[in-house]
Amino acid sequence: MPVLLRASIGYLSRHRWQSALSILGIALGVAVVIAVEIANTSALRAFDLSLETVVGRTTHQIESASGQIADARYVELRRHPDHTVAAALRTGSPVIEASVRIAGGTFQLLGVDLLSLPRFAGPSVEVTGGDLTRLLHESRTLLLNAQDLERLGIALDTPLSLQHGDQTQEVRVIGAISANQPGGLAGFAIADIATVQEITARPAVIDRIDLTLTPTAAATLAERLPQDLRLVAAAQRSESLRQMTRAFQTNLTAMSLLAVLVGGFIIYNTMTFAVVQRRQLFGSLRTLGATRAQLFRLIMSEAMLFACIGSALGLAMGILTGWGLVQLVTRTINDLYFALTVRELIIAPLSIVKAVGVGLLVTILAALGPALEAAGAQPRDLLREHSLERRGQQWVRWLGVLGILLAASGWGLAQIPSRSLGLGFVAILTLILGVSLCVPILLRLFAGLLARAAAVHGPLAAVLAARGVASSITRTGIAAAALTVAISSTIGVGVMIDSFRNSLIVWLDGTLQSDLYVAATSETGNRADGELPAALAERLRALDGIAELSLARTTRVETRAGDVWLIGVSPSSVTARGFALRHGTATDLWSRFEAGELILASEPYAYHQRVNVGDHIEFFTARGWQQLEIGGIFRDYGSDAGLLAMARTRYIELWDDLAISSLGIRVQEDADQNRVFAEVRSITEQFDVPIQTSFNEQIRVESLAVFDRTFAITQVLRLLAVAVAFIGVLSALMALELERRREHAVLRATGMTPGELASLILTQTSIVGLVAGLIAIPLGIVMAQLLIEVVNLRSFGWTMEMSIPAWPLISGLLLAWGAALLAGIAPAKRAAREDLAPALRSE
Amino acid sequence: MVPGTPALRVHDVHKVYPEGDGKSEHRVLEGVSFDVAQGECVALLGRSGSGKSTLLNLLAGIDRPDQGSVEVMGQPLRRLGEPALTLLRRRQIGFIYQFFNLIPTLSVTENLALPLELNGTTLRRGLPRIHALLEQLGLERRAEAFPDQLSGGEQQRVAIGRALIHEPALVLADEPTGNLDVETGEQILELLSALFAGRRQTLILVTHSLTVSAIADRVLTLEHGRLVAADRSLAW
């Protein structure tokens, strides 16, 4: 082994804790990246598998404008006099779907024509333990995947409870299905169409007809289908579903990169320390004839060694924590987008390459500075004490200038009128990086002022602490910068979440104008798109104590730009108040809305489809394509997928759909709400369909709970960034303590007690923490502003009022101080317990 | 303290350090005994590795003997815990180091104020004493300078000032001219002699130089951890 390398390994093993902290810093950064990658990839893979299963070999699907097709229509199509249509229909199968829970597991209940089962499960599908024909003859019988049966401990032919919406029903699993396709139908319950119609209380309807068509056959069929039916390419449907979660996943990736950025500071700190500590050794080596290139290679090799060990450790940590993160991600996808169950972790080679690549790249960038510094210095400089620190002190000024330029560029990038989410994140990261480069000079300035004030009025210990911070700026500045980045992201995200929550509360208060709500259980996503029994509204209206009923029908409809949620509302005295409209509506909005001339578009819809008041949207209706004008844009935090609203009378006219999905009930002021609620509930229970009845307040609470669950993953990532920063501060302070070993020993020899020395060190760490916290506050507020105005808008199309509550700012400052103080405890203890004799001898 | 009590009493002190391999040991001091009277200036003379610095650390309570006892101003150090030892150093002992060991982030005045402040005298109240001492040290014009702005000789003068400012009974100087050129070293020795001439303070001077030991009232010579001579004429 070359002597230089031996010297290097000897040094690293002597400074084990410093090396360990550096490795841990890299490991945590890489772990966060890989965990987020695994969570995203696993969720996407589960989504793809479920799509593959549902879609099977289907190339196209027939859907109706109203979202469901009557059984009779299907039979009509199969017997269509046009041979092309009838032949196309023979390639497929009718399908009805629902999301259910069986024995504690979430399943996609798929009602299919059993003769076409191989289309879903593959050609060599096997059913063990049961007779398939029982599915046809026996009510409420299902097939489940063999692995799911084992996982949930379900025995064949035993009664099980199936939960659909808030209704529980008894079913039996009569056989285990094994399919020769990826996923093996995991997460699916297969039943006959009639069974699913019975369970979901949707008699005589199907959701769609799946077909396998050639492009020519598809083109011909599309032309010949009746006006209210349309042919959709299966791939297009999958892609639009996948698009829904893309922004959410991009946001997670950006948060994980923040942890890596903080990790970069630790590596920089460790490598600087490694250079400073060995300045004399490097000086001697240079005088002995070692070249600059050799020294450079030596330091970079050490950094790469850290990076390799850290990345390997990070991969292991990330994979271990990936499962927890997957649960958080899928919970949010379930809450906001669609039902999804992830059964396996996908560790894609590309994810590993990405995470390790990020770790190595950040390490190389972070180590480059110290390596160039050591290689570029003259031997006499290296031999001179503090020459590197002195040079670092000069660099701090230039770093500040570069930081201001970067921060300004970041701010400028955010102002570019673009819709690119990537550019938005680049802007924020540039801004953060810029401000973090300014932290050392700001810290030196603050510590200098503090020292000056303490020199006049305060004790010498305060002068010593403040000047100590300023004089070791290459060490303390880096620690403060790492802490600033982590804390500012905590504050920024905290303020954004708070602003969002406040806007959501205001929106919910405005939207939930009724006292009670009755809704048909949702089949998809978070919209109440089921059907309430036709007689329900009239029976409720007759109840004593009801002031007013507002009816709504929610369904997915087709527009030229794709599927969209549409709500048809029957105007009531509170309709206008129920929509939080943005400024700039059409004239006579409400009268024209009620007349069916105008529709309303939600903010996300308007943003994503680039439409505004006065623009027209073309709908595929039972009357063919129909154009309607947008009269106003309203806030809607219910979904980022977009929502359109129109008068229910107009909706009925266009879609021939008299169904009601939800009912808002305003109770008379003098009536007892609880009594009315109980009576409403007793009426809804008389119908054999799943119906949800809720108080206004219950919906509010549940909505806020969903909101909090959505941001749970963000909280976890923020805490991880703070954890990495904590390691950064600890690493910097440990290095500082080692560098100051002799100075501390002199203080102790002069009569300073261990306690006084420890409090001196803790004062120094407090200065670092408080300055980092103080800088993090304005940076966090700017970050919050960009997250609200750039990231949220570009990701989801939502706008919101920014509110800056005191708590996230105070807690950020306290967190910075607390983290620094906590990180200071170990170095302070070490310094206080230091053996004085060797420390005084060291030179 | 009883009048006539020696400033230092060292009795049969032994100190052993384990060797690098952890199996064998190195006997640094073996049965060292001597007394130093109050106001006396004693030079501890010896080659490198003879145990001088170890002995100095034992006298200051920075290190503890494996066997034997050390008494400073009548107080047996063995009986003192770490807090009491710290207080003893703070009040009774002044240190002068070979490498000066000034606090780089404190100015000359502040470095001198440090022992005062540790003993409860604020910088403001201690200023007259600091200024007077700076004048004696010839550093009145360098009062606001920082250590890295001073020459080696100036730094050592500040270190001497810091060791004397709180008027400790015992001053321990470890090779005070070891890091200086000959001329500056001589100036420092003159300064030390002048400063101690009018005081009742005890000075223990660790050195390997006969020239330095010349300013002492008495010379103790250490060789391989043993005291071999206690007389100027026998000095190494």
Side-chain angles (χ1 to χ4, degrees):
Chain A
M1 189 190 292
V3 179
L4 271 182
L5 199 59
R6 278 188 203 196
S8 170
I9 290 170
Y11 170 81
L12 296 180
S13 57
R14 270 190 186 192
H15 294 87
R16 276 184 221 114
W17 54 265
Q18 190 77 29
S19 307
L21 285 179
S22 191
I23 287 168
L24 192 61
I26 300 168
L28 271 176
V30 171
V32 176
V33 174
I34 190 79
V36 168
E37 272 286 319
I38 287 173
N40 280 345
T41 317
S42 301
L44 270 181
R45 180 69 188 137
F47 171 69
D48 285 346
L49 274 179
S50 93
L51 268 183
E52 268 175 45
T53 308
V54 175
V55 171
R57 284 175 292 153
T58 300
T59 58
H60 293 81
Q61 293 166 335
I62 295 177
E63 293 178 352
S64 99
S66 64
Q68 54 188 29
I69 303 168
D71 280 354
R73 291 295 305 279
Y74 173 66
V75 177
E76 260 174 44
L77 289 170
R78 289 269 318 220
R79 294 178 184 163
H80 203 277
D82 186 331
H83 171 71
T84 328
V85 175
L89 263 288
R90 277 197 292 276
T91 69
S93 161
V95 177
I96 178 166
E97 277 182 274
S99 179
V100 295
R101 284 183 73 77
I102 304 170
T106 305
F107 289 88
Q108 196 67 12
L109 176 61
L110 208 57
V112 295
D113 179 351
L114 292 178
L115 294 174
S116 62
L117 189 58
R119 292 176 55 80
F120 300 99
S124 57
V125 59
E126 279 179 31
V127 176
T128 50
D131 172 10
L132 262 185
T133 56
R134 285 179 65 194
L135 289 176
L136 294 170
H137 304 137
E138 291 178 31
S139 170
R140 303 189 180 200
T141 47
L142 325 162
L143 298 175
L144 287 186
N145 169 284
Q147 288 166 2
D148 286 335
L149 283 175
E150 197 185 324
R151 184 172 59 89
L152 298 169
I154 298 174
L156 290 182
D157 258 324
T158 49
L160 290 169
S161 56
L162 174 147
Q163 201 183 342
H164 174 245
D166 56 1
Q167 302 286 308
T168 306
Q169 303 168 46
E170 194 175 281
V171 293
R172 275 169 199 273
V173 178
I174 58 141
I177 192 163
S178 334
N180 59 341
Q181 65 165 31
L185 280 175
F188 280 87
I190 307 288
D192 179 51
I193 288 179
T195 299
V196 182
Q197 286 174 336
E198 188 185 347
I199 287 172
T200 57
R202 291 194 292 156
V205 292
I206 54 170
D207 287 325
R208 58 174 200 270
I209 305 163
D210 286 1
L211 306 169
T212 309
L213 301 173
T214 61
T216 325
T220 317
L221 180 64
E223 279 174 19
R224 298 184 187 175
L225 274 178
Q227 213 178 25
D228 63 325
L229 298 177
R230 66 198 166 112
L231 190 68
V232 184
Q236 183 193 328
R237 187 168 175 249
S238 317
E239 185 50 30
S240 62
L241 277 171
R242 197 176 284 117
Q243 279 285 357
M244 288 166 85
T245 60
R246 198 156 284 167
F248 170 64
Q249 294 181 332
T250 309
N251 277 299
L252 291 185
T253 306
M255 283 292 285
S256 71
L257 287 177
L258 208 63
V260 178
L261 179 67
V262 177
F265 285 110
I266 302 180
I267 301 159
Y268 175 83
N269 183 54
T270 307
M271 298 323 296
T272 313
F273 174 72
V275 170
V276 170
Q277 275 289 300
R278 287 177 292 174
R279 60 188 185 278
Q280 287 196 319
L281 171 70
F282 291 150
S284 306
L285 289 173
R286 290 277 286 118
T287 52
L288 288 172
T291 63
R292 290 173 195 274
Q294 279 174 313
L295 284 190
F296 180 79
R297 275 201 300 273
L298 185 76
I299 294 162
M300 291 308 285
S301 312
E302 287 173 3
M304 291 319 287
L305 182 70
F306 285 162
C308 291
I309 301 173
S311 298
L313 195 66
L315 281 180
M317 285 161 65
I319 290 166
L320 285 174
T321 52
W323 186 245
L325 220 55
V326 165
Q327 302 305 319
L328 289 175
V329 168
T330 46
R331 202 169 60 179
T332 301
I333 291 176
N334 278 314
D335 280 339
L336 301 183
Y337 303 102
F338 39 75
L340 183 71
T341 313
V342 180
R343 289 190 163 73
E344 56 172 337
L345 278 188
I346 306 293
I347 305 162
L350 187 65
S351 301
I352 294 178
V353 170
K354 262 194 221 171
V356 172
V358 165
L360 292 181
L361 184 72
V362 171
T363 307
I364 290 171
L365 288 177
L368 212 55
L372 287 171
E373 177 73 26
Q378 293 297 325
R380 64 167 189 280
D381 290 336
L382 286 163
L383 286 166
R384 201 178 297 154
E385 194 181 5
H386 297 314
S387 70
L388 288 181
E389 177 61 45
R390 206 166 295 150
R391 231 164 339 159
Q393 293 278 358
Q394 289 159 9
W395 266 99
V396 160
R397 203 171 304 152
W398 292 111
L399 274 183
V401 174
L402 181 66
I404 291 169
L405 289 176
L406 273 178
S409 313
W411 179 254
L413 278 176
Q415 307 311 311
I416 294 174
S418 155
R419 286 173 171 254
S420 161
L421 184 57
L423 187 68
F425 278 122
V426 168
I428 293 181
L429 285 177
T430 311
L431 179 83
I432 294 173
L433 190 66
V435 174
S436 69
L437 293 182
C438 297
V439 170
I441 186 114
L442 289 172
L443 177 64
R444 191 171 71 179
L445 210 67
F446 180 84
L449 288 173
L450 194 68
R452 209 171 290 176
V456 179
H457 306 288
L460 212 50
V463 180
L464 206 54
R467 288 210 192 124
V469 169
S471 69
S472 301
I473 204 71
T474 53
R475 192 87 39 246
T476 51
I478 295 303
L483 203 53
T484 302
V485 171
I487 301 296
S488 65
S489 68
T490 298
I491 293 174
V493 176
V495 169
M496 184 274 284
I497 292 176
D498 234 85
S499 306
F500 199 166
R501 209 171 191 280
N502 286 340
S503 301
L504 181 67
I505 290 170
V506 170
W507 175 73
L508 283 170
D509 287 346
T511 309
L512 301 173
Q513 289 290 326
S514 298
D515 301 312
L516 303 175
Y517 287 88
V518 176
T521 307
S522 169
E523 286 300 339
T524 7
N526 57 346
R527 297 280 181 204
D529 64 336
E531 279 182 34
L532 290 171
L536 182 64
E538 284 320 305
R539 291 201 49 191
L540 292 178
R541 220 185 286 275
L543 268 180
D544 188 28
I546 304 269
E548 194 176 19
L549 280 188
S550 48
L551 315 179
R553 169 63 172 147
T554 311
T555 187
R556 282 188 81 75
V557 295
E558 170 75 0
T559 68
R560 289 284 184 202
D563 272 10
V564 63
W565 283 105
L566 173 75
I567 183 165
V569 288
S570 47
S572 70
S573 60
V574 291
T575 306
R577 272 188 279 153
F579 287 96
L581 289 168
R582 272 196 348 210
H583 293 298
T585 56
T587 47
D588 300 330
L589 173 68
W590 290 114
S591 58
R592 291 172 68 196
F593 176 80
E594 284 173 26
E597 285 172 35
L598 297 176
I599 58 164
L600 304 174
S602 73
E603 266 188 338
Y605 184 86
Y607 182 81
H608 292 309
Q609 300 302 329
R610 302 173 190 227
V611 290
N612 214 327
V613 174
D615 289 337
H616 288 81
I617 295 176
E618 221 178 333
F619 293 93
F620 176 67
T621 72
R623 311 269 167 275
W625 289 99
Q626 298 284 331
Q627 264 198 355
L628 287 167
E629 186 186 333
I630 300 173
I633 309 289
F634 64 96
R635 275 200 175 148
D636 174 39
Y637 298 125
S639 155
D640 58 335
L643 175 70
L644 296 173
M646 68 171 63
R648 186 162 162 265
T649 45
R650 183 71 167 137
Y651 169 76
I652 294 169
E653 218 175 278
L654 292 174
W655 277 275
D656 295 334
D657 179 13
L658 287 164
I660 299 164
S661 303
S662 57
L663 276 160
I665 303 171
R666 283 212 308 117
V667 178
Q668 284 170 1
E669 278 181 22
D670 53 354
D672 176 2
Q673 278 203 9
N674 287 325
R675 178 191 59 80
V676 176
F677 180 83
E679 286 178 12
V680 168
R681 188 134 204 172
S682 85
I683 289 177
T684 57
E685 278 167 3
Q686 290 165 21
F687 294 91
D688 190 24
V689 287
I691 298 174
Q692 237 169 347
T693 313
S694 330
F695 276 113
N696 171 322
E697 187 55 25
Q698 279 175 293
I699 297 177
R700 248 177 76 105
V701 169
E702 176 56 24
S703 302
L704 290 173
V706 169
F707 177 87
D708 294 337
R709 281 207 297 271
T710 305
F711 283 101
I713 189 163
T714 319
Q715 307 275 19
V716 171
L717 294 181
R718 283 157 72 197
L719 283 178
L720 276 172
V722 174
V724 180
F726 171 78
I727 292 169
V729 179
L730 180 63
S731 155
L733 293 175
M734 292 289 251
L736 197 60
E737 189 266 317
L738 205 66
E739 281 168 23
R740 295 265 172 88
R741 195 168 164 240
R742 196 153 59 103
E743 189 179 315
H744 291 156
V746 170
L747 289 171
R748 292 268 290 109
T750 312
M752 196 172 254
T753 62
E756 284 168 335
L757 182 60
S759 61
L760 171 74
I761 292 170
L762 291 177
T763 309
Q764 285 181 336
T765 67
S766 293
I767 294 171
V768 172
L770 286 171
V771 169
L774 285 171
I775 300 171
I777 289 175
L779 177 60
I781 292 172
V782 174
M783 251 178 94
Q785 196 185 345
L786 294 183
L787 285 172
I788 289 170
E789 290 175 5
V790 179
V791 173
N792 262 322
L793 185 67
R794 292 181 191 179
S795 299
F796 310 111
W798 289 319
T799 65
M800 58 197 75
E801 304 303 327
M802 184 163 155
S803 51
I804 308 175
W807 180 240
L809 311 186
I810 295 168
S811 66
L813 187 64
L814 291 177
L815 189 60
W817 188 24
L821 261 184
L822 207 62
I825 290 174
K829 269 188 170 177
R830 259 175 72 118
R833 286 182 190 159
E834 182 75 68
D835 199 355
L836 290 187
L840 284 169
R841 265 201 304 272
S842 72
E843 168 54 16
Chain B
M1 192 175 65
V2 183
T5 307
L8 261 179
R9 171 162 283 172
V10 178
H11 177 69
D12 192 27
V13 163
H14 292 254
K15 185 72 188 172
V16 178
Y17 285 122
E19 291 286 8
D21 60 6
K23 290 171 190 165
S24 50
E25 52 186 29
H26 172 52
R27 297 182 168 276
V28 185
L29 294 173
E30 287 188 88
V32 175
S33 301
F34 63 91
D35 285 357
V36 178
Q38 288 180 42
E40 196 179 5
C41 175
V42 173
L44 274 172
L45 192 67
R47 295 169 197 267
S48 291
S50 60
K52 323 184 282 294
S53 293
T54 302
L55 183 57
L56 198 73
N57 287 335
L58 297 179
L59 303 185
I62 284 172
D63 209 348
R64 290 183 189 268
D66 296 318
Q67 194 185 316
S69 65
V70 177
E71 284 178 25
V72 175
M73 309 306 288
Q75 288 194 73
L77 301 192
R78 186 179 284 274
R79 288 195 203 143
L80 300 181
E82 190 47 46
L85 278 175
T86 302
L87 284 180
L88 177 84
R89 280 198 297 271
R90 179 186 285 191
R91 291 173 188 154
Q92 309 270 32
I93 299 174
F95 258 106
I96 302 167
Y97 305 91
Q98 179 180 357
F99 296 105
F100 328 130
N101 282 346
L102 297 177
I103 306 299
T105 51
L106 296 183
S107 67
V108 168
T109 303
E110 288 163 345
N111 260 289
L112 293 193
L114 185 63
L116 289 179
E117 195 166 291
L118 287 172
N119 281 298
T121 308
T122 61
L123 173 63
R124 194 168 293 186
R125 278 201 293 136
L127 266 181
R129 207 194 297 181
I130 292 169
H131 284 149
L133 187 56
L134 282 175
E135 209 170 307
Q136 282 182 283
L137 295 166
L139 289 170
E140 60 274 32
R141 289 189 180 171
R142 310 294 274 153
E144 297 312 316
F146 283 84
D148 62 353
Q149 296 166 326
L150 302 175
S151 68
E154 285 173 325
Q155 286 191 56
Q156 194 58 301
R157 276 189 271 170
V158 178
I160 292 169
R162 187 178 63 185
L164 296 177
I165 189 80
H166 56 303
E167 298 176 346
L170 177 65
V171 176
L172 304 171
D174 188 3
E175 301 277 13
T177 60
N179 201 32
L180 300 171
D181 59 64
V182 178
E183 196 181 330
T184 314
E186 279 171 6
Q187 287 170 5
I188 289 297
L189 287 178
E190 279 170 27
L191 180 69
L192 270 176
S193 304
L195 284 171
F196 278 86
R199 295 171 187 255
R200 286 271 303 148
Q201 284 164 307
T202 307
L203 174 65
I204 306 292
L205 205 57
V206 165
T207 182
H208 64 277
S209 156
L210 281 170
T211 320
V212 174
S213 66
I215 68 161
D217 304 323
R218 188 153 59 103
V219 176
L220 302 173
T221 306
L222 271 172
E223 206 172 301
H224 303 304
R226 291 171 190 275
L227 213 53
V228 294
D231 189 278
R232 187 184 300 275
S233 56
L234 294 173
W236 169 78

